Amino acid sequence: MKFAIIQFPGSNCDQDCYHALANVFGQPTHYVWHKETSLGDVDCVVVPGGFSYGDYLRTGAIARFSPAMKAVADHAKAGGLVIGICNGFQILCEAHLLPGALIRNRSLKFICEHVELRVETTDSPFTNACKKGQVLRIPIAHGEGCYFAEPEVIEQLKREDRVLVRYVNNPNGSVDNIAGICNEGRNVFGMMPHPERASEKILGSEDGKCIFKSILRSAVTV
Amino acid sequence: MNITPEVIAKHGITPDEYERIKQILGREPNITELGIFSVMWSEHCSYKNSKPELKKFPREADFILVKAGEENAGIVDVGDGWAIAFKIESHNHPSAVEPFQGAATGMGGIIRDIFTMGSRPLMGFDSLRFGPIEGDSAQAATNRRLFAGVVAGIAHYGNCIGIPTVGGEVYFDESYNGNPLVNALCLGIIRHDQIKRGCAKGVGNPVIYVGSATGKDGLAGAAFASRELTEESHEDRPAVQVGDPFMEKLLLEACLEVMRKNGLVVGIQDMGAAGLTCSTCETASRGGSGNEIDLNLVPKRETGMTPYEIMLSESQERMLLIANKGREKEVEEIFRKWDLHGVTIGKVTNDGMMRIKVGKEIAAEIPAAKLADDAPVYHRSVEQPEWEIRNSKFETRSVREPRNCQTILPKLLASPTIASKNWVYRQYDHMVQDGTAVVPGSDAAVIRINLKRPDFGYTPKKGEPTEKYIAFTTDCNGAYCYLDPYEGGKTAVAEAARNLVCSGARPLAVTDCLNFGNPMDPHIFWQFRRCVDGLSEGCRAFGTPVTGGNVSFYNESPVAAIDPTPTVGMLGLIDDPKHITTQWFKESGHVILLLGDIGDELGGSEYLKRIHGLKTGKPPRMDLAVAKRTHDFVLEIIKKRWVASAHDCSEGGLAVALAESCVSNGDCMVGARVN
Amino acid sequence: MKAKIIVMPKKTVLDPQGKTVKHALESIHFKGIKDVRIGKFLEIELEGGNKAALQKQIDEACHKLLSNPVIEDYTFEIQ
Amino acid sequence: MKAKIIVMPKKTVLDPQGKTVKHALESIHFKGIKDVRIGKFLEIELEGGNKAALQKQIDEACHKLLSNPVIEDYTFEIQ
């Protein structure tokens, strides 16, 4: 399965995603510089974590205007897989590929620690290798990770089973403990926690692997 | 502006130093030249008061590739063609004035010192000291504001640029009221053949200015750092620099990309304290050549800046790069990709002069070597302070032993110096770059370096290792150094070595940040000399040479000097990931061993201070030979896989060490029964 | 010509920063505070040109980039 | 009564956020921008009382808490 990782000025988890995909999972992976207009031959696009444009104005506010993001939107519209991690999730929301927004943590402080997530549904290309209700120990590292959306949007997400993962203990004030959601087409997924930081025993947890395994498994069925 | 004795004094230049300047120039200096001499000959840049003492440090070893004092950071070989660059530096005075930006720019400056050598930064560390933060006095409230601001500043800079801050230490003591210590460290990896030096060579080669435009930030920040922080220093406030970690991330990536293309870059130096002055002069003196730059070509953020202001500005995120003639276009192309502009502002000459022009007119012309290397050197007088003699006579046995120890341990564990620092490192992204094998909270941080990373600019060949493991720690007990600088110096090195060994690493090399009061005071210089003696002996005993670091004098609050605080940062190597050991007990039923005996050594202890309000007595004697044997023994039994956890006794002694071993990992809390 | 833009969080969106500042003000003996809300203030210096065109341009900038309609409202004036 | 407070970075202090947003506006085809500066806008709802007393109180709050005099300037009005 071919992966493309978008690089914005200020992204810093692009290397980690490359390591997880290329070294740990041995998948063909290439970078796409934010100024490029084509993603090349790709099945799944990764919009990585980091501080695109230094998080100035709003996290992800400026990155969404990069030429590469236009190509990501087209890829998504054509049914291709897109996963946004942390800053990537914020960029997908700013680009309206996902509903809602990520605002400042309730504690007003940056939080970096392992947290427990519960898989709410396995009906998605990003969680089909997990078990429903399975608890994953995956690290978060963000200052603006509190998910917000208007009540009717939250209802819609629940009704359409589009909340893929929730926090067991809410670290940042996210509405309805939401940690990750997908779009209507279920091919675009955004999550605040970092699965690429939990794909090797040496880093303290391997639970992040089941997200990547799900993506690989979805390639077989699609 | 004519140069009057008051103007000279205000620049911190003594009358005989002024005579020396006139001798070097063969004439009176103009105001720009005086400003240049004042920053280059400040303690911060020239080490004029500390140089004679620093010579005592062991600095030689076959695995040292770049020695202390040669370049921006020291570099040590770690095998298979790989090397580690690391250094610690202080940003104390700017942090006292504006904690957030002071700490943030401290982080930014030390990161530049690493990637200017061509090294890819892997991790950061912070060693902090504040006044007490408990209670509702005005001073406690100020200390809390400084503490919160400094931590937030380090988090902001490190998190944004994507360099994990994986460890450090925080102490609280009255002596740091009004003068917090912010020592920031950065460590990076590099191939032997990627090492770049800050030198200007090749007549006619273009001198290129890269990064942020120049503004009036931190004017004469360097000289400012060498003057005591007294009441009237508040009107220096506009001297604070503001950092832009996003710009530095672009600068980091662009500079590494330019340096990795062979034939493009001859030399490169970051613009740290004294900005354009230091970089222009030091690259010329190291290259045995001259530099000529035109200030009209320097990108400026404000109009109407005088040559004096441009040469002394401390605007952040700027580099000076010397490229090969004819290759400027390629250099500028790479910088444009990263939305930066590389502007040629001058060229290398062979007349040994640092010539600063404004269009046709010469604003300053100084022999570079003399400016960089011939700063005056002073041999300050020393006198043992009476408080050391008085305190050493104190009999700790005279202190009434508490009837019920049950209440003592919780009080010690609640002391901010001992208590968990989770509140601090939780704000740092300490996991980015997928390398943190042991997260903050144990004796030392352990980093797994994945050598296959494309951004290292080298692909390991068949049979070459694809991973390396390093450990790092920073340590210093200021109270010990206050009571007995010599023992305190030895202990700082021993404790760092101990922390590494407890993590399964063999100590390799040291960088140090020497925070002291006013060197003109013989009591303070006695403390400095004795601490350096102790540090040198410790480094010799553990075979860990000093590869570089920083001296910060004039750390004094309006009341008194700070406790002498020679912070030691020590690098260790772990030969096999199976040797990685953490400090918390793993399972019930394990046997607890205590290595080393317990002497009557309550002097300077956290117990005496916290429970009895006494900072006195003789601190523990450090027998370096016994310590070395103990460390070797611990490493050996770790290698035999007999050890489940290892922890050192430091502040709070055995009781606190046992408690920490039981509870410092939230996921595996156990108890312990000790006879 | 100068555009002054105010971007505030929507009423429905939680403003932890505003709440924290309210408590901080009360802790320094500042009485009679009913509510505190914190947003962004942007000042854009423009080359000049006819006001109506600038009005439209700034409005589009606010909508597209300077504010996030999901969580923020904006107002601006051009002098 | 409502206090409207504007806290801006000092002219001489680098405003990295303003610089980046200016660059972003230009990249989405906004012409004629000479400078962008970004600061905080605070709205404090007050119980009321005589304006002069409130004026003094708000000024003190701005100096002590709401702005960092080292790198920021503030202006306010009470309506």
Side-chain angles (χ1 to χ4, degrees), chain B residues 97-98 101 212 217 237 240 242-244 246-247 301-302 339, chain D residues 11-17 19-20 23 63 68-71:
Chain B
V97 176
E98 202 329 78
Q101 288 299 345
S212 301
D217 325 53
R237 280 202 292 201
V240 167
V242 172
D244 180 355
F246 169 60
M247 168 64 83
R301 210 174 64 228
E302 293 162 55
D339 295 330
Chain D
K11 281 265 182 312
T12 58
V13 172
L14 176 70
D15 173 15
Q17 181 165 228
K19 198 174 56 171
T20 310
H23 192 68
H63 191 69
N68 178 346
V70 175
I71 48 175

Side-chain angles (χ1 to χ4, degrees), chain C residues 53-78:
Chain C
L54 288 179
Q55 204 89 14
K56 199 169 129 325
Q57 211 189 15
I58 291 294
D59 189 64
E60 199 199 330
C62 286
H63 191 69
K64 260 179 95 170
L65 175 68
L66 303 179
S67 81
N68 178 345
V70 174
I71 49 172
E72 289 166 334
D73 298 321
Y74 62 87
T75 58
F76 66 91
E77 58 179 65
I78 294 181

